[in-house]
Amino acid sequence: DGGITQSPKYLFRKEGQNVTLSCEQNLNHDAMYWYRQDPGQGLRLIYYSHIVNDFQKGDIAEGYSVSREKKESFPLTVTSAQKNPTAFYLCASSTQGGAGYGYTFGSGTRLTVV
Amino acid sequence: KQEVTQIPAALSVPEGENLVLNCSFTDSAIYNLQWFRQDPGKGLTSLLLIQSSQREQTSGRLNASLDKSSGRSTLYIAASQPGDSATYLCAVSGSGGSGSARQLTFGSGTQLTVLP
């Protein structure tokens, strides 16, 4: 079955530590996205990529980094510069670099700072 | 900058009722509008996608309408069931020519509870 796999489902980070969230898709989608969701709020865009080896900052990119070395993979690193990283992180993909073609979302990673 | 508002933030109804969820957006120059469903602790499931040239879309008991000129969309759920309990999110994309301009802007959602 085609879809997006995010791992791990739950992640705990110590103060000052970098952590990496995995996102893999087998839908052959060109575009991939990372969103952050805080309680009672909508999704905010962190980074997006429309093609391999290229990515762009979203609305809240500070303290995050990404890479897009393969079409199938778009990992997100939450760095120690992100002061409030506790949130629910969602990865998504679409067939083209535009929302008109429908998005597929992963099941999310819940990150908690301990 | 596009802003999307969803009212009400939470809604509780008895099973069998028809209900309407509202979404408004500040910039009418959109490419499309989507409604998503999110179950607790889960990702998003796309329900309906309305292109800017369309007025409505239907899927089963769901009907979504779009009025671009007034910056409004409604999601109508007929004969609600306890299984419809979830958070419903509305999202719009811009109409800019490049892909970067077409990113989704989300509302904060309506949390729906259907009581048996």
Side-chain angles (χ1 to χ4, degrees):
Chain A
D1 290 335
I4 297 181
T5 301
Q6 288 188 242
S7 62
K9 188 176 177 66
Y10 299 96
L11 186 58
F12 298 90
R13 192 194 92 167
K14 295 180 180 179
E15 294 283 351
Q17 192 178 45
N18 292 354
V19 292
T20 298
L21 284 61
S22 171
C23 178
E24 302 277 335
Q25 55 101 355
N26 60 4
L27 300 165
N28 199 33
H29 284 175
D30 293 310
M32 297 187 74
Y33 312 83
W34 274 106
Y35 289 90
R36 169 181 172 140
Q37 186 177 34
D38 293 283
Q41 298 188 30
L43 280 64
R44 293 183 289 168
L45 182 64
I46 305 173
Y47 267 98
Y48 63 96
S49 168
H50 290 164
I51 194 169
V52 175
N53 292 323
D54 185 54
F55 48 83
Q56 304 295 328
K57 293 181 179 180
D59 298 325
I60 55 166
E62 185 175 352
Y64 301 97
S65 66
V66 294
S67 63
R68 186 85 186 278
E69 298 177 359
K70 299 187 299 181
K71 187 176 184 179
E72 302 78 19
S73 179
F74 192 41
L76 173 74
T77 296
V78 184
T79 74
S80 57
Q82 171 49 242
K83 298 308 178 187
N84 185 24
T86 295
F88 190 51
Y89 292 85
L90 286 161
C91 178
S93 69
S94 66
T95 53
Q96 295 190 29
Y101 306 92
Y103 276 46
T104 300
F105 279 82
S107 57
T109 292
R110 187 165 301 279
L111 174 63
T112 303
V113 174
V114 296
Chain B
K1 183 179 177 182
Q2 179 74 271
E3 292 184 5
V4 180
T5 303
Q6 291 188 245
I7 295 174
L11 180 64
S12 184
V13 300
E15 182 177 4
E17 273 204 6
N18 302 326
L19 59 100
V20 174
L21 306 181
N22 296 293
C23 172
S24 62
F25 45 94
T26 55
D27 185 351
S28 62
I30 65 170
Y31 187 69
N32 62 39
L33 182 144
Q34 297 184 54
W35 282 94
F36 295 89
R37 168 184 172 139
Q38 186 177 30
D39 292 290
K42 304 292 186 182
L44 276 64
T45 300
S46 180
L47 297 174
L48 291 165
L49 169 67
I50 310 177
Q51 301 291 354
S52 61
S53 58
Q54 298 175 320
R55 297 284 292 183
E56 66 177 341
Q57 282 285 336
T58 298
S59 176
R61 294 183 293 109
L62 305 179
N63 175 275
S65 67
L66 174 63
D67 184 344
K68 257 183 51 174
S69 60
S70 67
R72 295 178 186 273
S73 175
T74 61
L75 178 65
Y76 175 82
I77 303 177
S80 59
Q81 303 170 358
D84 295 330
S85 297
T87 296
Y88 291 82
L89 292 156
C90 166
V92 299
S93 66
S95 60
S98 66
S100 62
R102 294 184 178 178
Q103 302 310 314
L104 291 179
T105 301
F106 283 84
S108 55
T110 293
Q111 185 174 355
L112 173 66
T113 302
V114 180
L115 303 170

